[in-house]
Amino acid sequence: MTELSGSYDDPFAPPLAALAVLDDRGAVVGWNRRAEELLGHPGAAVIGRQAFEVLVDPRDLPALREAAASCWRAGGWFGVLKVRHRDGRLVEMGLRAQTFSRDDRVREWLVAGAPAADVLAWQRDRAILDGLYHQCPIGLVVHGPDLKVLRVNRAVERFTGVPAADFRGLPTGCLLLPDDARKAVDRVRQVMETGRPLIYSEQFARLESDPARERVALVSAFRMEDRSGRVLGVAEMIEDITGRHRAQRRLALLDQAGSRIGTTLDVAETARELAEVMVPHLADHASVDLLEPVTCGEEPARALAGPLVRVGACGIGVQQPGPPHDQGAPVEFAPDTPQSRCLAEGRPVLEPVLSSDSFSTESRQGTHAPDLGAHSLIVVPLAARGLVLGVLTLWRSSRPDPFEADDLILAQELGSRAAVAIDNARRFTQQQQTAFTLQSSLLPRAVPDQPAVEVALRYLPASAAPGLGGDWFDVIPLSGARVALVVGDVVGRGIHAAATMGRLRTAVHTLASLDLEPDEVLSRLDDLVTLLAAEQEAFGERPVGEQVVGATCLYAVYDPVSRRCSVARAGHPPPVVTGPDGQAALLDLPAGPPLGLGGLPFEAREIDLAAGSLLCLYTNGIIGERNVDADIGLSKLCAALTRPADELERTCQAVVDSLVPAHPSDDIALLIARTRMLPPEDVASWQLTLEPVAAARARALTSAKLTEWGLEHLAFSTELIASELVTNAYRYASGPATLRLIRERFLVCEVSDTSHTAPHLRRARTTDEGGRGLFLVAQMAERWGTRYTREGKTVWTEQPLAGTLT
């Protein structure tokens, strides 16, 4: 009877099974109530009768005799037979028969039966249970109410290396490191106390027998209870997903690297992004060392010569020291270090264990490990387009598990992606440097020395926008001590904009040399921009997504003698004028159309500027970003210009500090000029009646003034110049002429008349009576020219003072 005892779910257990006892002749001598319930035969109807006659169909006798013989030989039998019900139908029963002897003489049979369906279901449950303990790859641990292990399956045995039988009676979590064991005990206790199951919870664990290897398990747990609700313990199902977890983590790291590495076209920033992605997901410390030419935007030599520069570095934990070299510092690796081997061979290096036996203190320091606790190392070359740009070095010190081959593959993949981004940034840097060199060559490198104004300049390229901008400024000395101040902005970015800016600046210089009025200069520039646009359209050179050619410009001419300033603008922001009293305001000036529209007029305005006034010219980048109200920017600009007496460079920097963000999105050109006035004693002017004695009077006036100024050594040449110019006015003009001498850096001699006919320098023949006067003027003067006004023209000359000014 011991074999038949079991749980209530066992169909052959006494409360559930139909039991019959047969003597050695096959007669029924025992019959329980369950047998009567299942087969309908009361005990009185079957006891004493042959079982074959009452319970077996004649057609099943052969099978029954074979089962009896087998039971007789083996002492027991189990199988399925059809048993006759009292109503005549056949009931399929699972039967278990066993022989036993009484008084060592009488042999009897004990037969237990249950419906075949119940028996088959019970067998399947037993098979499943046996499979969980012997074949299931998922670990199964049964904990008792006292938090001791009752039983584990063979998967746990394989997981821990400890035989399953040795687990019985051990405390929960006894094989884990103390921290992990406490977490395991808390997990089981919580499920046991609350009855809430734990489903698919990721748990990190390290065994005491292998503390360097961190495992990841997927744990589900539920509380076991009997039918009365008594707690029997907790069953845990544990699946080792270390490999899967690491694969998912690597995929996540690859995905993260795709979005975090290469967000800018900056070499150093890209290297830092690579180091930050590696920590802490793959390594405890990471450094990126690039060949020095790469950091400057240059292509590295294939011989890998030259020092490296630590561009990016990252480490975990406040207490953990980072890599020993500061970012931007040169790094030199000893010849026998993994980094040197990686650079020389262009292949990755994996050092799973940096033991004291294999690495001396000197050689360990040669790897530039972040601290002496580093125990594992990976070095990966950063290569793109067949060129090695540098190395990526990874260390592990806090994390106990060493680097594996899969970690090396992941580091190579990330290094390859980052190398492409670094190379793209390097090439962009190289192109930007080339472009900025081109742009800087097109902009004025120094302010020419001139007496009209004191000037401070700033040019700030956009830090975020790709390509070059077309902003420019210029200070152009003009005749008569005057000066032209120019600010312009070409539409668009890139080489096209920079080249157009250079052409416009050259054109402005050419037009300024003609001494044209500001509105006339803009009209000529408008014609030029229209011509450039037509050329680009004809040859298909239109930049994608940009206007063919377009520009804005502001042109101002200031005369320090009259203190008059003539200004015209073509779609450009108006200048800010600050008087000596500190009142700053925008100049009310007609806007004019942008350059390139063609055929529309420009209008100039003349204003008086007191000496010491500020005239601020700028491009629209300084008055605000695109999402900022321009009026706010103009108000800030005026506020920054309210101290005209301050040092001009300080005022210019104050404007930049007040209005320019750390990373401007547009190029900025800023020109601030403080006006000067020539002293009246340095200017002499006479009106001459055009008569035969006009030339003689001009010579006399000139000689007297030069003697007063202490410039007697220039008297002969200047008298000749004045005489010839007045003589030309007498011959070809009508009305009075004006002779003016200006003493500043040069001695300027001007003769103005009402004629618009320009004098021409020509070669006189030996038989000609005239035609040599202008040739003599050109020989005596260093520079000479003609400028036109609405009233006529002015012929001017300049002679150096040669340091004789008193």
Side-chain angles (χ1 to χ4, degrees), residues 138-184:
I138 299 175
L140 178 63
V141 182
V142 180
H143 305 271
D146 57 353
L147 294 180
K148 290 187 177 180
V149 178
L150 300 178
R151 189 175 181 183
V152 302
N153 66 352
R154 290 183 180 175
V156 176
E157 179 179 302
R158 293 189 297 269
F159 185 76
T160 60
V162 177
D166 294 347
F167 275 90
R168 184 169 298 173
L170 294 178
T172 297
C174 62
L175 300 182
L176 302 176
L177 291 180
D179 289 343
D180 297 330
R182 282 193 294 272
K183 295 176 183 177

Side-chain angles (χ1 to χ4, degrees), residues 129-308:
L129 187 61
D130 289 342
L132 285 175
Y133 281 102
H134 299 288
Q135 299 176 359
C136 181
I138 299 175
L140 178 63
V141 182
V142 180
H143 305 271
D146 57 353
L147 294 180
K148 290 187 177 180
V149 178
L150 300 178
R151 189 175 181 183
V152 302
N153 66 352
R154 290 183 180 175
V156 176
E157 179 179 302
R158 293 189 297 269
F159 185 76
T160 60
V162 177
D166 294 347
F167 275 90
R168 184 169 298 173
L170 294 178
T172 297
C174 62
L175 300 182
L176 302 176
L177 291 180
D179 289 343
D180 297 330
R182 282 193 294 272
K183 295 176 183 177
V185 171
D186 292 342
R187 183 173 65 242
V188 173
R189 180 181 287 113
Q190 182 178 8
V191 173
M192 190 174 300
E193 292 176 353
T194 64
R196 290 193 298 268
L198 184 69
I199 301 175
Y200 297 143
S201 174
E202 283 191 2
Q203 305 291 332
F204 295 85
R206 289 170 296 170
L207 297 174
E208 285 187 335
S209 59
D210 189 10
R213 182 183 179 188
E214 186 177 58
R215 304 166 189 257
V216 184
L218 198 62
V219 179
S220 296
F222 61 92
R223 188 169 69 183
M224 300 183 299
E225 302 175 356
D226 61 15
R227 293 187 176 183
S228 65
R230 181 167 58 96
V231 177
L232 302 178
V234 172
E236 279 189 313
M237 289 171 288
I238 303 173
E239 181 181 2
D240 185 1
I241 60 168
T242 303
R244 186 197 315 167
H245 183 271
R246 290 181 178 177
Q248 291 175 345
R249 187 171 59 185
R250 293 182 179 112
L251 288 175
L253 184 57
L254 285 173
D255 180 69
Q256 184 182 29
S259 60
R260 290 186 57 187
I261 299 177
T263 58
T264 66
L265 288 173
D266 181 85
V267 173
E269 182 63 26
T270 304
R272 286 192 291 270
E273 290 170 347
L274 173 60
E276 291 170 359
V277 163
M278 293 296 185
V279 177
H281 304 290
L282 185 60
D284 296 329
H285 306 275
S287 68
V288 179
D289 305 311
L290 300 179
L291 292 167
E292 189 173 28
V294 177
T295 63
C296 302
E298 302 172 5
E299 187 166 296
R302 294 187 179 273
L304 300 179
L308 289 94

